[in-house]
Amino acid sequence: MNIEVVEWIDSTGVGGWNKATEVRAATLLRPTTIGFVLHETDDALYLTPTHDGQEGEALRVDDTMIIPKVAILSRRVVTP
């Protein structure tokens, strides 16, 4: 599995009663995630930070993140 660094745009929210000016000042989050590319489709990238090293159907992963491709700003492969 490749290891990639992915910068993407995340949703955010402003809860409770707020002045509209305060809500308009809120910004989108721009996280950077590093992980093993477990799977990729036309619509999404599946990254996992941890796997058990098994092959095929025996492979177990932990805390997989699924990022919509429309939210991805950049991605690069980490070379070991």
Side-chain angles (χ1 to χ4, degrees), residues 15-53:
W17 286 93
N18 298 280
K19 290 183 179 182
T21 54
E22 294 169 345
V23 174
R24 286 192 292 269
T27 59
L28 294 172
L29 302 174
R30 296 173 73 110
T32 299
T33 302
I34 301 170
F36 295 94
V37 177
L38 176 64
H39 183 63
E40 184 170 355
T41 67
D42 290 341
D43 299 321
L45 183 65
Y46 296 65
L47 293 178
T48 185
T50 308
H51 67 82
D52 69 359

Side-chain angles (χ1 to χ4, degrees), residues 56-74:
E57 295 295 319
L59 178 67
R60 292 174 46 122
V61 297
D62 188 41
D63 292 330
T64 301
M65 174 176 275
I66 303 168
I67 305 172
K69 284 194 173 174
V70 297
I72 294 175
L73 299 171
S74 67

